[in-house]
Amino acid sequence: MGERALLVEGPSLAWVLAATEALRDRLEALDVVPAARTVLVTAASRAELARLRDRVHEIITDLAPAEIHNLDSPVEIRVRYDGPDLAEVARLTALTEAEVVAAHTGTPWQVAFVGFAPGFPYLTGGDPRLTVPRRETPRTRVPAGAVGLAGEMSGIYPRPSPGGWQLIGSTDAPLWDLARTPPALLPPGTTVRFVEDTP
Amino acid sequence: MNRALEILSPGPLTLIEDLGRPGLAHLGVGTSGAADRTAYLLGNRLLGNPAGHASLEVTYGGLHVRARGALTVCVTGATARITVAGRPADPGTPLRVPDGADLALGMPSHGLRSYLAVRGGIAVAPVLGSRSTDTLAEIGPRPLAAGDVLPIGPPPVELPHIDHAPARPWPQDALEVLPGPRRDWFADPNALQTTSWVVASASDRRGVRLTGAALARVPSRRHTELASEGMVRGAIQVPPNGQPVILLADHPVTGGYPVLGVLTADSADRAAQLVPGSPIRLTWSSGRHSA
């Protein structure tokens, strides 16, 4: 991808997570950027990229299936399930609102990648019954801490922004804090468990 | 006294930029930094500054500043009339600005973004390792406003070069494109170089939008959506309307439109100098580079 980057494509999100972890651990790259089916590796210069190219190939060829499982202890995110789209999600999934909440909190999620805004986690691996389309008309302003669903993913808005995800709840967890290293609470690979915060 | 640069008028848009924040893209923060790296680096080099010292990136000229303490500065990038204490001065060479004297930049006659480097660098507090304003992630200093007073760092040990650096020739040649990862999504990749493109006014530090005859997808990809993937500066993304967007320094870290080609680093710098309304040609790289 240009003079200073390689785009590596794999079969699945699980592959992306494993490849990202292996490339981060074993490669001196400028940036390793996971996405849905690809990992982007960038180098400081064209010469540096030439050196990285063979290593990248070696690392992804050697990917052991065991690396695909992340055994980190999950980060708990407390959520008030009071989102404006909770009823719509229940309708779309043919579940009750309580069942939507139970499904969202019932299985751990994993941060596949971060994007859209600093610290915005794209969470995967949740209950497949929660698969819903994005809203037909995106909102012009989604508040910070809003917890949403789109496709088979869940996400949390770190700060106010426009957005098209179906909002099912909200959290006070500080997703993005410049004073923290790293500033993102949920970097790629993090396991997340949502917990219902009852008033 | 502490040396500083006082902003009397920022013009349409003046930002503090350096080499940006590499290494944070996986957290949703792009590299950002100077849109034209070549021009930015040249200014620092001519002043004996290390490569990462922060400079001012001035879009469309109009900057008016005053020195507090004697400063040595250098203007590179877009060609604009420079005056120091009211007298014309040259670009691409170190300029002495005495204590209390003004420097003004006119509107560029060629190019879009001028860089004002200061010996010692703009020394505002860095955020995540950089003083750059990232207009997309909204990280770093806000755009400069009249009345801002910017601290200047201690002068480096190295002396300024006395030589004058020749500016890049204007007008610009075609921008050089390497094959992109989704070239096979397009019916006729060659159309990228046979089309006469015009720079659209909606261009900014996130990307240069081009208008021209729409680039068609192959029939099998016409209704397919691409899963978001990592993006780089210089990538040419083509949304379903067929009008390409060249990503600049503040591009999103991931994007969901297929990338037909990627500019060479030098051409990505030159893309940052394209003025809205001007024509531009793109040409596939002759093969000196590998994709």
Side-chain angles (χ1 to χ4, degrees):
Chain A
M1 181 122 166
E3 289 176 308
R4 296 175 186 176
L6 289 172
L7 189 68
V8 192
E9 189 161 20
S12 64
L13 253 170
W15 179 91
V16 167
L17 283 164
T20 303
E21 198 177 322
L23 290 166
R24 282 206 162 274
D25 288 352
R26 294 160 61 188
L27 197 71
E28 292 274 312
L30 209 55
D31 263 309
V32 176
V33 193
R37 289 289 178 272
T38 56
V39 184
L40 180 79
V41 176
T42 64
S45 66
R46 213 181 337 162
E48 190 58 39
L49 186 70
R51 279 193 287 278
L52 290 184
R53 193 180 294 269
D54 288 349
R55 280 291 290 147
V56 168
H57 190 76
E58 253 174 65
I59 291 167
I60 62 168
T61 317
D62 284 356
L63 271 191
E67 289 181 79
I68 285 175
H69 301 285
N70 187 311
L71 301 173
D72 291 349
S73 58
V75 174
E76 273 193 7
I77 301 289
R78 304 192 70 81
V79 177
R80 296 175 298 276
Y81 286 92
D82 56 1
D85 299 324
L86 185 59
E88 176 66 2
V89 169
R91 192 186 66 80
L92 288 165
T93 55
L95 300 170
T96 65
E97 292 186 15
E99 285 168 339
V100 169
V101 175
H104 198 244
T105 54
T107 46
W109 298 74
Q110 191 168 21
V111 182
F113 53 95
V114 175
F116 174 64
F120 184 104
Y122 287 82
L123 294 152
T124 179
D127 192 316
R129 289 177 302 166
L130 293 179
T131 304
V132 289
R134 280 165 198 257
R135 285 171 53 85
E136 274 179 31
T137 311
R139 289 189 170 85
T140 53
R141 190 178 179 283
V142 171
V147 177
L149 294 170
E152 53 182 21
M153 294 191 154
S154 188
I156 311 169
Y157 288 81
R159 64 177 186 202
S161 68
W165 292 43
Q166 308 269 7
L167 305 181
I168 57 171
S170 54
T171 180
D172 296 327
L175 272 272
W176 183 254
D177 180 358
L178 283 171
R180 185 172 54 199
T181 308
L185 178 65
L186 307 174
T190 311
T191 307
V192 173
R193 193 176 264 284
F194 289 107
V195 177
E196 184 174 14
D197 202 353
T198 38
Chain B
M1 81 184 266
N2 290 329
R3 298 178 319 141
L5 194 65
E6 182 182 352
I7 307 294
L8 301 177
S9 166
L13 178 67
T14 295
L15 302 172
I16 299 173
E17 298 292 343
D18 55 17
L19 288 172
R21 305 178 179 83
L24 298 171
H26 65 294
L27 303 181
V29 177
T31 302
S32 185
D36 178 350
R37 298 297 219 241
T38 305
Y40 156 79
L41 287 169
L42 176 64
N44 274 336
R45 190 152 53 81
L46 289 167
L47 294 176
N49 279 343
H53 269 29
S55 300
L56 298 188
E57 180 179 282
V58 187
T59 303
Y60 271 129
L63 176 71
H64 194 177
V65 294
R66 180 166 296 158
R68 293 196 180 175
L71 300 178
T72 306
V73 305
C74 183
V75 180
T76 56
T79 313
R81 199 173 106 90
I82 307 163
T83 55
V84 175
R87 284 185 294 277
D90 286 331
T93 195
L95 304 173
R96 293 282 294 169
V97 184
D99 181 21
D102 293 359
L103 179 147
L105 274 184
M107 230 185 107
S109 56
H110 298 290
L112 182 63
R113 295 182 169 94
S114 308
Y115 291 85
L116 178 73
V118 182
R119 188 162 150 80
I122 307 291
V124 296
V127 178
L128 297 176
S130 164
R131 298 181 169 87
S132 290
T133 299
D134 182 334
T135 59
L136 179 73
E138 295 175 352
I139 289 176
R142 57 165 173 69
L144 297 181
D148 285 347
V149 177
L150 309 174
I152 302 302
V157 177
E158 197 184 333
L159 292 171
H161 294 255
I162 51 165
D163 52 328
H164 171 96
R168 245 191 231 121
W170 310 93
Q172 305 194 330
D173 298 332
L175 300 176
E176 193 180 356
V177 187
L178 299 163
R182 306 296 168 194
R183 199 158 71 137
D184 61 347
W185 281 50
F186 296 91
D188 178 19
N190 199 45
L192 187 69
Q193 63 179 7
T194 54
T195 304
S196 301
W197 301 105
V198 175
V199 179
S201 58
S203 304
D204 56 24
R205 278 178 50 86
R206 293 172 291 179
V208 175
R209 292 168 184 278
L210 303 180
T211 51
L215 295 166
R217 290 187 184 179
V218 293
S220 62
R221 295 290 191 189
R222 222 154 270 167
H223 303 289
T224 323
E225 266 196 69
L226 181 70
S228 284
E229 53 195 27
M231 288 291 141
V232 297
R233 192 172 76 96
I236 302 172
Q237 274 199 327
V238 185
N241 68 7
Q243 306 293 299
V245 180
I246 302 172
L247 301 186
L248 295 189
D250 291 352
H251 66 82
V253 295
T254 59
Y257 298 130
V259 171
L260 169 57
V262 183
L263 297 181
T264 62
D266 178 65
S267 285
D269 285 338
R270 293 197 286 127
Q273 295 293 359
L274 294 173
V275 179
S278 57
I280 183 67
R281 298 194 85 88
L282 302 167
T283 177
W284 288 106
S285 171
S286 49
R288 296 185 286 114
H289 313 265
S290 56

